[in-house]
């Protein structure tokens, strides 16, 4: 199969090219690698962003993929032709090109989200998105405030403290569950979650047999008790009650949605030791010259503010201006999480779906697309794909 890969950046790697200080994966390496290329044995259990970038480049070179990449080439739009081929328009570089099929691999991280705050223009310090934290000198000797409590939020608060900040505070409206790497310091989290028993404890898939539905109903009280026990274990292990960080959302709903895995070194240990200030259940009312005022009236001194507020996903309606692509409140609905039923010969790999191991998810999707292109399998009719 002849193919070309266009990337608007100057090298492969996506978000792994350049991330915030101390970034890396939160899942152990045995859960985050290409299926045909395990990590070298001497790789640490949680590789850094630089190590992941190197691993991806080595994989591309080993398999002869690098020659197919056209970097520093941004796709502006993709339009369908009468014969269901696709024309790609570019913001820079080459003239329009026509392809029989398109695989969209834009990832989950588009433009950084940067919310605006009242009187932010009065602030004498610096306000950065989390992706801009690249150098220790940005925080050394300064009062640092992080807004947001996802993975990047606890990473930034922690690494600000570790890199010599005078103080490090974190502000957030809603706490989320962070799954310990080892439950009770003994059991690896994946032993307890990624098996049939762990799957049976979750809410059932939306299409299940009558028998499975009955089983879930019968055992729902037991499932509820098990999850409440897990919440108690995590709360005690991480000191959530003392920190005021115990989430209101049930863990079986949050940990597999907005929740994250706890990273190393432990944010919660540093917070319990008083090295990181916790401001939970509040939001920033306004900025002052040298501080942030919270909605509870408290004022937090700051020289540097990091916005750990995530990213906006790529707008597919802009990329495909002539197609009918609408997102529901909880995202896009695709057949096999890959195909829009009404858009032929276009596949979304790692662009609109997420798992604990994105690289594995993308590898499985890629294999499915490759087998489809080879003719190993075919798509059902549109009605079945939408059902």
């Amino acid at each position: 199969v002849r193919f070309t890969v266009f990337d608007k950046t100057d090298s492969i790697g996506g978000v792994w090219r350049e991330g915030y200080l101390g970034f890396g994966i939160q899942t152990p390496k045995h859960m985050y690698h290409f299926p045909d290329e395990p990590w070298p044995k001497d790789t640490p259990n949680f590789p850094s962003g630089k190590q992941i970038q190197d691993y991806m480049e080595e994989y591309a070179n080993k398999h002869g993929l690098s020659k197919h990449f056209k970097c520093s080439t941004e796709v502006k739009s993709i339009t369908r032709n009468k014969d269901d081929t696709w024309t790609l328009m570019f913001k820079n570089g080459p003239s329009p090109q026509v392809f029989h099929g398109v695989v969209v691999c834009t990832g989950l991280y588009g433009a950084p989200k940067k919310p605006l705050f009242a009187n932010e223009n009065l602030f004498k310090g610096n306000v950065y998105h989390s992706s801009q934290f690249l150098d220790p000198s940005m925080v050394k000797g300064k009062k640092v405030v992080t807004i947001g409590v996802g993975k990047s939020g606890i990473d930034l608060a922690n690494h600000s403290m570790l890199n010599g900040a005078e103080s490090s505070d974190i502000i957030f409206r809603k706490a989320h569950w962070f799954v310990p790497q080892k439950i009770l310091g003994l059991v690896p989290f994946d032993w307890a979650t990624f098996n049939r028993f762990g799957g049976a404890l979750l809410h059932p898939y939306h299409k299940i047999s009558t028998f499975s539905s009955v089983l879930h109903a019968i055992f729902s009280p037991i499932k509820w008790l098990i999850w409440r026990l897990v919440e108690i274990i995590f709360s005690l292990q991480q000191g959530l009650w003392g920190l005021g960080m115990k989430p209101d959302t049930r863990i079986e709903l949050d940990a597999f949605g907005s929740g994250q895995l706890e990273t190393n070194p432990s944010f919660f240990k540093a917070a319990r030791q008083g090295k990181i200030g916790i401001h939970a259940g509040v939001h920033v009312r306004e900025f002052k010259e040298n501080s942030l005022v919270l909605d509870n009236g408290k004022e937090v001194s700051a020289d540097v503010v990091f916005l750990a507020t995530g990213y906006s996903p790529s707008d597919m309606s802009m990329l495909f201006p002539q197609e009918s692509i609408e997102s529901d409140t909880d995202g896009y609905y695709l057949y096999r999480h890959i195909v829009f039923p009404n858009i032929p010969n276009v596949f979304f790999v790692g662009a609109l779906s997420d798992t604990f191991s994105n690289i594995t998810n993308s590898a499985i999707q890629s294999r499915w697309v490759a087998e489809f292109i080879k003719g190993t399998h075919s798509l059902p009719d549109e009605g079945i794909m939408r059902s």
Side-chain angles (χ1 to χ4, degrees), residues 63-112:
H63 294 276
L65 302 176
S66 300
K67 62 184 179 183
H68 297 283
F69 277 78
K70 294 187 180 297
C71 295
S72 301
T73 306
E74 184 174 356
V75 177
K76 178 181 180 180
S77 64
I78 304 172
T79 55
R80 192 194 314 192
N81 304 313
K82 291 181 179 179
D83 59 353
D84 283 341
T85 59
W86 295 89
T87 297
L88 273 65
M89 304 286 290
F90 303 93
K91 288 187 177 180
N92 57 332
S95 56
Q97 298 185 32
V98 178
F99 293 88
H100 290 96
V102 177
V103 182
V104 181
C105 307
T106 50
L108 299 168
Y109 307 103

Side-chain angles (χ1 to χ4, degrees), residues 188-210:
F189 81 95
D190 49 307
W191 288 15
T193 54
F194 295 122
N195 52 50
R196 292 186 183 277
F197 176 73
L201 294 176
L202 297 175
H203 282 269
Y205 186 62
H206 67 279
K207 290 183 179 179
I208 60 173
S209 66
T210 302

Side-chain angles (χ1 to χ4, degrees), residues 215-232:
L215 282 179
H216 276 283
I218 292 173
F219 289 100
S220 59
I222 297 175
K223 291 165 55 178
W224 186 90
L225 286 172
I226 291 174
W227 283 120
R228 301 296 75 74
L229 176 61
V230 171
E231 288 183 353
I232 292 171

Side-chain angles (χ1 to χ4, degrees), residues 269-321:
K269 181 178 180 180
R272 291 195 303 271
Q273 293 172 343
K275 297 178 180 179
I276 298 173
I278 305 296
H279 306 274
V282 294
H283 66 264
V284 176
R285 189 172 69 196
E286 63 175 333
F287 276 61
K288 288 189 173 181
E289 289 186 353
N290 300 296
S291 64
L292 281 68
V293 180
L294 308 182
D295 63 347
N296 61 1
K298 188 171 182 179
E299 201 164 325
V300 182
S301 298
D303 302 311
V304 174
V305 175
F306 287 119
L307 305 178
T309 45
Y311 296 79
S312 298
S314 300
D315 187 345
M316 295 303 163
S317 64
M318 296 291 290
L319 191 60
F320 294 88

Side-chain angles (χ1 to χ4, degrees), residues 3 35 39 96 117 123 131 201 258 274 279 318 320 334 343 379 384:
F3 67 94
W39 286 93
F117 298 92
F123 185 56
S131 58
L201 294 176
S258 301
H279 306 274
M318 296 291 290
F320 294 88
L334 291 81
I343 305 179
L379 292 174
I384 294 176

Side-chain angles (χ1 to χ4, degrees), residues 100 152 173 243 327 330 345:
H100 290 96
S152 59
R173 290 180 291 184
L243 295 173
S327 173
D330 56 348
N345 304 323

